[in-house]
Amino acid sequence: MNIHSRLSDLLKQSGISRYRLAKICDIPEETLTGIFKRGNTPTFATLETICKGLGITLAQFFAENNMIEMSSDMKEFYEEWKLLTNEQKNLTIQVMKQMRSK
């Protein structure tokens, strides 16, 4: 994977300028200039910060074409899901299966 190409593609997709991304991520604009204009490879921490600014995870960044777009409802469900215990998750799945079978 070419990190620079992936970052450029994500910026285009999001419609965010490098300047705006630097402000969102609270990183120096010079850092992004180094990455995009000089081909510097970002550190892991910088890449993670950039991903957060773009609203994606590092896993999504490296997933390439396997990214799944989530609706706002799905995102809300996922955020709540993460807070459940394993028992609550199992019960939720059972309820969903019951709702689907009716």
Side-chain angles (χ1 to χ4, degrees):
M1 163 184 280
N2 184 316
I3 291 175
H4 301 97
S5 295
R6 180 75 170 131
L7 284 171
S8 293
D9 289 345
L10 288 169
L11 275 181
K12 286 178 192 172
Q13 288 172 13
S14 66
I16 297 174
S17 68
R18 287 195 307 257
Y19 173 79
R20 179 76 181 124
L21 182 62
K23 295 299 178 195
I24 291 169
C25 297
D26 195 29
I27 58 176
E29 190 177 358
E30 180 60 31
T31 299
L32 293 178
T33 299
I35 293 168
F36 288 101
K37 295 226 177 193
R38 291 190 290 277
N40 297 350
T41 301
T43 64
F44 183 81
T46 299
L47 185 57
E48 185 174 35
T49 300
I50 291 170
C51 286
K52 285 180 184 176
L54 292 169
I56 64 171
T57 64
L58 278 171
Q60 289 171 315
F61 178 85
F62 289 108
E64 295 186 34
N65 295 328
N66 298 325
M67 286 181 60
I68 298 172
E69 293 291 326
M70 286 200 285
S71 67
S72 59
D73 290 342
M74 290 171 69
K75 287 179 184 176
E76 181 181 7
F77 182 86
Y78 178 69
E79 291 302 317
E80 294 298 325
W81 176 266
K82 292 188 309 185
L83 302 174
L84 298 177
T85 65
N86 285 336
E87 182 181 354
Q88 291 169 324
K89 288 177 182 178
N90 289 330
L91 289 170
T92 302
I93 290 171
Q94 289 175 17
V95 169
M96 291 172 76
K97 287 180 179 179
Q98 285 295 316
M99 291 187 326
R100 200 178 63 218
S101 68
K102 292 184 179 185

